[in-house]
């Protein structure tokens, strides 16, 4: 196993064999937008370097997907993050995000949140605090820009991450 261990859990770089499990977690989160099963496989093939999974006994129990902004490659954009219901509150999202910030060497992180997602908002505030980084928030997409009943998305921009401040 190449990844870093947290108790019985291992945080690792995803491979295409993890794509199905990631799709199931996104489906079961009942919070994330569920993308096609194909997109999770493709993400594992082409964006594994900016994504991470956490596994227990080989089963994916959490993941984070991200990419570096093409026009701002020091900025890691978080696309989706979730942890299986029964494993929440144990620091797995923290481990996923911290390992990805370290692995990518990103100076900034961006993520969007909806105003009703308290755990997500708290998770990104805690990330900024752990790294001693700033956090700014602005509306990115208003509800009327979406063709369906999607809520407005607010952009959090966190950084700069300074390696000397990295949480141990
Ligand atoms: C958000 C989510 C990924 C957090 O995963 P987790 O493994 O439970 O999170 P952690 O245990 O690592 O906690 C990370 C921080 O988030 C905060 N947090 C997590 N769950 C919380 C909750 N229910 N209420 C308030 N704060 C919460 C805590 O402040 C914690 O920081 P701390 O260590 O300083 O206390 C998880 O709740 C989830 O999968 N939610 C559904 C999908 C989702 O909403 N994803 C985010 C979309 S942007």
């Amino acid at each position: 196993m190449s990844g870093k261990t947290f108790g019985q859990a291992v945080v690792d770089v995803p491979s295409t064999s993890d794509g199905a499990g990631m799709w199931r977690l996104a489906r079961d989160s009942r919070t994330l937008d569920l993308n096609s099963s194909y997109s999770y496989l493709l993400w594992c093939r082409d964006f594994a370097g900016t994504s991470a999974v956490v596994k227990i006994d080989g089963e994916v129990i959490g993941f984070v997907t991200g990419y570096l902004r093409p026009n701002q490659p020091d900025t890691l954009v978080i696309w989706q993050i979730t942890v299986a219901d029964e494993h929440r509150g144990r620091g797995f999202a923290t481990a996923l995000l911290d390992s990805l910030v370290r692995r990518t060497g990103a100076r900034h992180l961006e993520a969007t949140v909806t105003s009703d997602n308290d755990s997500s908002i708290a998770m990104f505030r805690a990330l900024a605090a752990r790294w001693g980084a700033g956090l700014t928030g602005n509306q990115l997409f208003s509800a009327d820009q979406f063709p369906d009943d999607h809520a407005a998305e607010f952009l959090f921009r966190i950084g700069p991450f300074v390696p000397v401040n990295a949480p141990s």
Side-chain angles (χ1 to χ4, degrees), residues 60-136:
V60 185
I61 59 109
F63 74 84
V64 57
T65 48
Y67 63 90
L68 298 178
R69 284 198 83 195
N71 294 338
Q72 218 174 3
D74 70 346
T75 298
L76 172 68
V77 179
I78 299 300
W79 173 241
Q80 293 195 310
I81 178 167
T82 192
V83 170
D85 236 353
E86 63 272 30
H87 294 291
R88 288 185 190 166
R90 297 173 56 193
F92 290 131
T94 297
L96 284 165
L97 289 169
D98 285 352
S99 77
L100 203 52
V101 170
R102 281 200 185 84
R103 169 145 59 84
T104 58
R107 260 181 79 71
H108 293 89
L109 177 147
E110 289 186 350
T112 65
V113 297
T114 51
S115 60
D116 60 349
N117 196 338
D118 294 338
S119 55
S120 175
I121 292 168
M123 174 181 69
F124 288 117
R125 288 195 187 287
L127 172 76
R130 271 196 315 284
W131 284 79
L135 183 153
T136 57

